[in-house]
Amino acid sequence: ILNGEAVETEVTSVIKSSTSETGSLCCDFLNKSIGNLEKNTDMGIYGTYNKNYDLTNCSEYEIASPQETEKGFAQIICTVDSNGPQVYSAEITKISYNENVKNMIIRITDERLIEKTGGIIQGMSGSPIIQNGKLIGAITHVIVNNPLKGYAIFAQTMIEQSES
């Protein structure tokens, strides 16, 4: 995909992950444009919000440098039901500074999210990861044979990619 339109969605159901199958979010696309997609890369999809899109309920976070990221407690923000974006607990178990996309391994620890999704599922890519009050990255991939774990990219890498 070279470009496109970002639209609001509504989660309609969840197919849970298991060790033998990757789960997914099932959504309906709503007829409300929120922006334009301008770049599709290995490091994410980038674009701009429409000028009239209301961002007042969005949170802003300072971007952490890769060196500020540490193993241990973190949180992810994702929408997996009609309750909208929720904060869930996770753990950073590995950090790699030598990879372009797979900078971290994250493990879901929040029982609420595990109950709903079985771990990381398709549709959670791009979910922000917060640590020590800063945005450290975003989920990119599920580890198929262990859906409690997945890969993530540093937020700083995503910012640099968006500016190139």
Side-chain angles (χ1 to χ4, degrees):
I1 299 173
L2 297 177
N3 58 44
E5 183 178 36
V7 296
E8 284 192 356
T9 61
E10 181 179 346
V11 176
T12 56
S13 64
V14 172
I15 299 170
K16 288 177 73 169
S17 278
S18 68
T19 55
S20 60
E21 187 174 333
T22 302
S24 64
L25 288 176
C26 302
C27 299
D28 283 340
F29 293 100
L30 305 179
N31 194 20
K32 183 173 181 185
S33 175
I34 62 174
N36 294 308
L37 305 176
E38 299 159 357
K39 190 190 296 187
N40 185 1
T41 74
D42 291 342
M43 296 179 204
I45 297 173
Y46 301 90
T48 55
Y49 282 109
N50 291 340
K51 292 178 186 174
N52 60 348
Y53 186 68
D54 184 10
L55 295 171
T56 55
N57 290 329
C58 295
S59 299
E60 289 187 19
Y61 292 90
E62 183 179 336
I63 304 296
S65 70
Q67 292 72 29
E68 291 177 273
T69 302
E70 55 193 33
K71 290 181 182 179
F73 179 78
Q75 296 173 304
I76 65 167
I77 303 171
C78 59
T79 301
V80 295
D81 57 28
S82 61
N83 294 324
Q86 301 291 312
V87 177
Y88 298 100
S89 61
E91 178 185 17
I92 305 300
T93 62
K94 183 177 179 183
I95 301 169
S96 174
Y97 300 101
N98 299 323
E99 298 284 334
N100 285 336
V101 179
K102 297 178 180 177
N103 301 125
M104 296 171 268
I105 294 180
I106 185 167
R107 183 173 64 87
I108 304 301
T109 58
D110 196 298
E111 290 300 324
R112 298 171 302 139
L113 186 58
I114 294 168
E115 176 65 29
K116 290 178 185 181
T117 66
I120 298 172
I121 58 177
Q122 292 178 30
M124 287 173 61
S125 296
S127 293
I129 305 169
I130 310 300
Q131 189 177 63
N132 299 321
K134 294 183 179 182
L135 177 66
I136 63 168
I139 294 174
T140 58
H141 302 82
V142 61
I143 297 176
V144 177
N145 64 351
N146 185 352
L148 293 179
K149 292 184 177 182
Y151 293 104
I153 187 172
F154 291 130
Q156 184 63 45
T157 302
M158 293 170 54
I159 295 293
E160 291 168 1
Q161 177 69 26
S162 73
E163 294 172 344
S164 65

